[in-house]
């Protein structure tokens, strides 16, 4: 099934390249995408932020020059040209914080956490209410994700740690190889396992145990309502400059896949 899916994606990409696809609605594989209710929020290849309706298949531009990296009910966080862009979803206004060098960004409870490339990738925190920007931890990391209880981060490429906001303690919860592509919800981490053909696996945050492995090869994915939305992994030589990438939906309970 996986080989067939990859073949289909290759054919779709090749067809799009040959036909000269250049739509404003092409999806950028270099940026994050997020799902909420019946909408997918994504960036196109021109760097514009869009909202795509799963109900009527329509797209609406929300902001320009916005490389999407994080999201919650109040904000979209973008980052490009060493500038953090903060889109307030309630007011529709965009704020900016310059002179930021970030390898990875996570958003939680009105705070932005980022690995500061200008300071050996130590973790910094920006309070979105005060715009203060301070070192949060001397831990160094290249990848972050967060939920209301903890911050998940990779360490030395091959391990995942949990920082508990309440206890203020760090705990190693997973050991693998090249643990860079992951996201978390309140209970689980979803990791693209480099050692297993980049298949997505579910890891229990509290125990560190692998609960499931899904037949999906992906480096860019998002979990929503027992479904995994993802961009299929392709070898680097087959990736057409991060352009024209399709999003697929994998239903966990039904073990079924469909193109969005």
């Amino acid at each position: 099934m996986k080989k067939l899916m990859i073949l289909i994606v290759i054919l779709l990409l090749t067809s799009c390249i040959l036909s000269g696809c250049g739509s404003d609605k092409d999806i950028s594989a270099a940026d994050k995408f997020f799902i909420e209710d019946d909408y997918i929020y994504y960036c196109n290849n021109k760097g514009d932020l869009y909202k795509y309706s799963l109900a009527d298949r329509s797209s609406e531009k929300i902001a320009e020059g916005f490389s999407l990296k994080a999201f919650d009910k109040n904000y979209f966080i973008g980052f490009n040209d060493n500038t953090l862009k903060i889109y307030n979803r309630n007011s529709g206004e965009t704020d900016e914080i310059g002179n930021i060098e970030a390898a990875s960004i996570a958003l939680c409870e009105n705070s932005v956490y980022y690995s500061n490339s200008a300071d050996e990738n130590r973790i910094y925190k920006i309070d979105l209410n005060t715009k203060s920007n301070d070192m949060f931890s001397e831990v160094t990391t290249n990848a972050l994700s967060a939920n209301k209880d903890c911050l998940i981060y990779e360490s030395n490429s091959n391990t995942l740690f949990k920082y508990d906001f309440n206890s203020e303690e760090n705990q190693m919860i997973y050991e693998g190889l090249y643990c860079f592509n992951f996201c978390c919800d309140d209970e689980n981490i979803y990791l693209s396992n480099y050692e297993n053909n980049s298949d997505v696996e579910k890891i229990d945050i509290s125990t560190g145990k692998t609960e499931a492995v899904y037949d999906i090869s992906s480096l860019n994915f998002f979990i929503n309502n027992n479904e995994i939305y993802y961009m299929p992994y392709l070898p680097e030589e087959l990736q057409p400059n991060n352009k024209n990438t399709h999003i697929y939906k994998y239903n966990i309970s039904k073990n079924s896949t469909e193109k969005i």
Side-chain angles (χ1 to χ4, degrees):
M1 174 180 173
K2 186 188 302 177
K3 290 182 178 179
L4 177 61
M5 181 63 68
I6 291 175
L7 178 60
I8 292 172
V9 174
I10 292 172
L11 292 174
L12 286 169
L13 289 173
T14 303
S15 173
C16 193
I17 293 168
L18 292 175
S19 63
C21 288
S23 168
D24 286 344
K25 299 173 184 176
D26 290 340
I27 300 170
S28 168
D31 298 301
K32 297 289 187 181
F33 66 92
F34 299 93
I35 319 296
E36 183 183 59
D37 299 327
D38 293 324
Y39 294 97
I40 298 176
Y41 298 89
Y42 69 94
C43 286
N44 71 353
N45 295 310
K46 296 181 179 180
D48 299 327
L49 178 63
Y50 274 79
K51 177 172 72 172
Y52 175 81
S53 170
L54 292 169
D56 62 17
R57 309 288 177 172
S58 63
S59 292
E60 173 189 351
K61 184 190 291 188
I62 298 176
E64 296 183 350
F66 204 95
S67 182
L68 187 61
K69 301 302 178 188
F71 153 104
D72 70 7
K73 64 182 180 180
N74 296 314
Y75 300 100
F76 292 123
I77 303 298
F79 178 74
N80 51 10
D81 299 325
N82 289 343
T83 300
L84 193 76
K85 298 189 177 184
I86 306 158
Y87 178 89
N88 188 312
R89 299 181 62 190
N90 299 312
S91 67
E93 297 177 350
T94 300
D95 214 349
E96 295 185 354
I97 301 176
N99 299 317
I100 301 292
E101 297 183 32
S104 181
I105 295 173
L107 174 64
C108 180
E109 303 293 329
N110 287 335
S111 295
V112 173
Y113 299 88
Y114 71 99
S115 51
N116 189 347
S117 304
D119 189 17
E120 300 180 344
N121 281 2
R122 291 183 173 90
I123 300 175
Y124 276 62
K125 175 184 175 180
I126 297 175
D127 186 311
L128 292 180
N129 295 317
T130 65
K131 303 301 188 295
S132 62
N133 182 15
D134 303 297
M135 182 190 291
F136 178 75
S137 171
E138 292 192 359
V139 165
T140 62
T141 184
N142 287 295
L144 294 165
S145 186
N147 62 30
K148 59 184 177 61
D149 299 315
C150 63
L151 187 67
I152 307 296
Y153 63 92
E154 67 80 28
S155 178
N156 296 320
S157 302
N158 303 327
T159 52
L160 291 179
F161 276 76
K162 173 180 71 174
Y163 174 85
D164 189 290
F165 291 132
N166 294 317
S167 68
E168 299 183 352
E169 295 180 348
N170 291 289
Q171 176 188 355
M172 190 183 81
I173 52 177
Y174 181 86
E175 188 170 12
L177 183 64
Y178 304 142
C179 304
F180 295 122
N181 302 289
F182 62 89
C183 63
C184 70
D185 56 22
D186 289 342
E187 298 178 351
N188 301 294
I189 300 167
Y190 296 85
L191 169 73
S192 175
N193 188 340
Y194 177 86
E195 296 180 289
N196 189 24
N197 197 35
S198 297
D199 280 0
V200 176
E201 64 181 57
K202 180 172 74 170
I203 302 163
D204 187 290
I205 292 177
S206 61
T207 66
K209 294 182 179 179
T210 298
E211 299 293 326
V213 178
Y214 306 109
D215 191 28
I216 299 171
S217 293
S218 178
L219 304 180
N220 194 354
F221 50 89
F222 188 79
I223 317 301
N224 183 62
N225 293 333
N226 206 40
E227 294 173 329
I228 303 176
Y229 292 79
Y230 68 100
M231 296 185 189
Y233 168 76
L234 288 175
E236 192 169 322
E237 62 272 17
L238 296 177
Q239 297 178 13
N241 300 319
N242 287 324
K243 294 182 179 179
N244 309 320
T245 301
H246 297 285
I247 292 177
Y248 288 78
K249 179 176 71 174
Y250 174 78
N251 188 302
I252 294 174
S253 59
K254 296 181 180 179
N255 189 28
S256 62
T257 301
E258 67 175 290
K259 177 184 171 185
I260 302 300

